Amino acid sequence: MDSPDTRGAVVQARRKIPLSRESVLAKALELVDADGVDALTMRRLGQALGRDPMSLYRYAENRAALLDGVAELVLEDLSIKKDDPDWKAQLRQLAHDLRLLAIRHPNVVPLLVTRPLSTPLGMRPLGTLRPLEQILSLLIETGFEPKDALHVYRAYYGFLYGHLLNELQEYIVDPDENEALLRLGLHRLPPKEFPRLRALAPELAEYDGSEELDQGITILLTGLESQLSQQRLVQQR
Amino acid sequence: MDSPDTRGAVVQARRKIPLSRESVLAKALELVDADGVDALTMRRLGQALGRDPMSLYRYAENRAALLDGVAELVLEDLSIKKDDPDWKAQLRQLAHDLRLLAIRHPNVVPLLVTRPLSTPLGMRPLGTLRPLEQILSLLIETGFEPKDALHVYRAYYGFLYGHLLNELQEYIVDPDENEALLRLGLHRLPPKEFPRLRALAPELAEYDGSEELDQGITILLTGLESQLSQQRLVQQR
DNA sequence: ACTGCCGTATCTACAATGTAGACTTTACCC
DNA sequence: GGGTAAAGTCTACATTGTAGATACGGCAGT
């Protein structure tokens, strides 16, 4: 009749530390980082924590909420310092920070990108909305009209996320066989239909994401700036 | 040898006409459009087609391949006319086309965005790679160096996808209660932490995605153009 | 020391899912 | 007919998320 855990003393020491939302999410992130989103099942997570899977429901309503929590946790590493008055430099810095985050947790990116699509803005985890608020705040405090701030934010964040998706798509998982493997992938394509793509194989292999992101940001921000200042002139007369 | 397509009047309603990859994918798309990606299960799809779920495996290796097929099917509606020599106009047009596609099939967007993240470039469904090839081709034929064409493509497609994600995130499912509902969503946010966001509620409600996309494209393309022509000058001397 | 209580964790159970493998049906050619 | 290959079906199984009841373990009050 005794339960399978015969090692009472040991269990006692283990069990002394109760779970917490943070520890659960941290472990969940570990699993996702290691094996991808699909590998994060309630049972596996429970096992990794040495607890019954059902105990997890104390810390997240369901699996979807757990995934939201993971996304939130990752985004918490982002910070934007409000003291710097140079908004363009700030946004550029933030872009690179997010890029590095994404590269550090590539398996989380699908969550960052997909979850908001199925959650109305106001219902998102607060941690997810914080960057948005901070950017708006930054822009407004450097003189933008709120409406323009929103405009800038949308273009900026749009481009940023798009770039990340692009870059991660081309991200090679096994950089060892780098070019060869890449070519091998492309080799499968019918030459008649995809001559350009195949010819660009070497260039694809030496993709510098950071550089590309930086240039895009530059174009976008200066473009936005001039667009807005021009528009202001028109309004004044 | 080709299979004899004697699908004339011989086939009676009594006997089920055979499935085809197209019909399966079309029905799959219907399900996704109606109830989202998760609602597309083998069993449901089988039922919708009046067949045993197992029969689907003749037309797709597994569920993931089915999803790829759906993404491919949607993208087939995109076409880029090669005759127009104005690359900027072409890309702008294509951007709007893709936007409309995305709005028509919002539930497919997660697939468009997520699937490539788990498939190396060369292994993607060909229909998915065709736009890439066509854009490269267009750019190269209007005089871009292949390498620059790739650069333009990346910035362009990155921005485009990012914009779509952004816009769909704010897409209101029930446009009836439009503003009120939106505010209600935002109302949940702690005012101390999210003053800017809350204040911007009205502006959020009157988002014009087409306009925003157009402006972004303009900025990006003219920026890219001047960046490249400048760079060419430097190289010449 | 006993009792009630409550937050935490576990146990059991169930319906739904993807898919392997063996089997049956159908259509058509000689 | 008989044979063959494609199309479709049946059965079975492991895995999933999670509802609902139950146990556990420490704390308060008496």
Side-chain angles (χ1 to χ4, degrees):
Chain A
M1 74 167 292
D2 208 342
S3 58
D5 45 32
T6 53
R7 49 227 162 116
V10 179
V11 168
Q12 190 183 17
R14 289 246 169 172
R15 199 182 287 158
K16 208 50 184 150
I17 303 171
L19 291 180
S20 67
R21 181 169 165 87
E22 292 81 46
S23 61
V24 167
L25 289 182
K27 202 52 131 187
L29 175 56
E30 266 184 45
L31 287 191
V32 172
D33 275 343
D35 299 312
V37 174
D38 292 339
L40 176 55
T41 73
M42 305 308 258
R43 289 173 155 93
R44 260 201 275 277
L45 181 52
Q47 183 155 15
L49 289 165
R51 295 297 202 300
D52 187 279
M54 279 299 126
S55 55
L56 303 175
Y57 287 86
R58 280 262 130 63
Y59 307 98
E61 265 206 25
N62 47 34
R63 180 162 181 269
L66 228 169
L67 295 180
D68 279 339
V70 171
E72 201 178 6
L73 175 62
V74 166
L75 283 184
E76 264 164 23
D77 281 6
L78 272 192
S79 78
I80 180 169
K81 295 150 258 116
K82 285 185 69 171
D83 47 350
D84 191 337
D86 182 354
W87 62 279
K88 292 203 283 184
Q90 272 279 19
L91 292 188
R92 169 173 276 114
Q93 177 64 42
L94 183 64
H96 280 106
D97 287 352
L98 184 57
R99 174 174 177 269
L100 291 178
L101 249 190
I103 289 178
R104 203 152 48 238
H105 304 285
N107 291 336
V108 180
V109 170
L111 293 182
L112 297 183
V113 160
T114 301
R115 294 293 314 158
L117 289 178
S118 42
T119 325
L121 225 173
M123 301 292 156
R124 310 237 181 100
L126 295 189
T128 310
L129 294 176
R130 214 155 273 137
L132 164 54
E133 173 74 20
Q134 287 176 323
I135 290 175
L136 288 177
S137 177
L138 170 75
L139 291 174
I140 292 175
E141 278 167 28
T142 43
F144 281 96
E145 287 298 309
K147 186 173 176 168
D148 294 340
L150 185 58
H151 177 63
V152 171
Y153 166 82
R154 281 183 175 139
Y156 164 79
Y157 231 61
F159 175 75
L160 177 50
Y161 267 78
H163 169 87
L164 292 183
L165 283 178
N166 251 347
E167 183 174 351
L168 284 183
Q169 282 182 23
E170 303 184 18
Y171 195 72
I172 302 295
V173 194
D174 303 328
D176 314 324
E177 324 203 19
N178 204 326
E179 218 203 3
L181 191 73
L182 186 68
R183 278 236 188 78
L184 209 106
L186 294 178
H187 178 267
R188 201 189 61 111
L189 305 180
K192 297 287 169 197
E193 274 189 289
F194 298 91
R196 311 296 190 186
L197 229 187
R198 289 172 52 115
L200 277 168
E203 279 80 4
L204 280 167
E206 57 187 36
Y207 183 22
D208 182 341
S210 172
E211 174 73 7
E212 197 106 0
L213 174 61
D214 211 72
Q215 291 182 8
I217 290 284
T218 301
I219 289 178
L220 203 72
L221 294 186
T222 62
L224 281 169
E225 192 175 35
S226 80
Q227 179 198 54
L228 289 175
S229 66
Q230 225 166 349
Q231 172 183 317
R232 211 168 299 154
L233 285 182
V234 174
Q235 283 172 343
Q236 274 183 350
R237 66 180 57 187
Chain B
M1 58 177 68
D2 209 347
S3 68
D5 52 345
T6 60
R7 57 177 63 242
V10 186
V11 180
Q12 289 299 332
R14 182 68 73 87
R15 278 286 140 255
K16 303 170 178 176
I17 74 173
L19 292 179
S20 68
R21 182 169 164 89
E22 292 81 46
S23 61
V24 168
L25 289 183
K27 199 55 129 186
L29 175 56
E30 266 183 45
L31 288 191
V32 172
D33 275 343
D35 298 312
V37 174
D38 292 339
L40 176 55
T41 74
M42 304 309 259
R43 289 173 155 92
R44 261 200 274 276
L45 181 53
Q47 184 155 16
L49 289 164
R51 299 295 151 81
D52 188 279
M54 278 299 126
S55 56
L56 303 174
Y57 288 86
R58 299 263 153 193
Y59 308 98
E61 271 214 15
N62 47 35
R63 180 163 182 270
L66 229 168
L67 296 179
D68 279 339
V70 170
E72 202 178 5
L73 176 61
V74 167
L75 283 185
E76 264 164 24
D77 282 5
L78 272 193
S79 78
I80 179 170
K81 294 151 256 118
K82 285 185 67 172
D83 48 350
D84 190 338
D86 182 353
W87 62 279
K88 291 204 283 184
Q90 272 279 20
L91 292 188
R92 169 173 275 112
Q93 177 64 42
L94 183 64
H96 280 106
D97 288 351
L98 184 57
R99 172 173 177 270
L100 291 179
L101 249 190
I103 289 178
R104 204 152 48 237
H105 305 284
N107 291 337
V108 180
V109 171
L111 292 182
L112 297 182
V113 160
T114 301
R115 295 291 314 157
L117 289 176
S118 42
T119 325
L121 224 174
M123 301 292 155
R124 310 237 182 100
L126 295 189
T128 310
L129 295 176
R130 214 155 272 137
L132 163 54
E133 173 74 20
Q134 288 177 322
I135 290 175
L136 288 177
S137 179
L138 170 76
L139 291 173
I140 292 174
E141 277 168 29
T142 44
F144 281 96
E145 287 297 309
K147 186 172 173 166
D148 293 340
L150 186 58
H151 176 63
V152 171
Y153 167 82
R154 280 181 176 140
Y156 165 78
Y157 232 61
F159 175 75
L160 177 50
Y161 267 78
H163 170 87
L164 292 183
L165 284 177
N166 251 348
E167 184 174 350
L168 284 183
Q169 282 182 23
E170 303 184 18
Y171 195 73
I172 302 295
V173 194
D174 302 328
D176 314 323
E177 324 205 17
N178 205 327
E179 219 204 3
L181 190 74
L182 186 69
R183 278 238 186 76
L184 210 104
L186 294 178
H187 178 268
R188 204 191 59 112
L189 305 181
K192 297 288 170 196
E193 273 187 289
F194 297 91
R196 310 297 190 185
L197 230 187
R198 290 172 54 116
L200 277 168
E203 279 80 5
L204 280 168
E206 58 186 36
Y207 182 23
D208 182 343
S210 173
E211 173 73 7
E212 197 106 1
L213 173 63
D214 211 71
Q215 291 183 6
I217 290 284
T218 301
I219 290 177
L220 202 72
L221 293 186
T222 63
L224 281 169
E225 191 175 38
S226 82
Q227 179 199 54
L228 289 175
S229 67
Q230 225 169 349
Q231 172 183 314
R232 211 169 297 155
L233 285 182
V234 174
Q235 284 172 342
Q236 273 183 350
R237 67 177 57 189

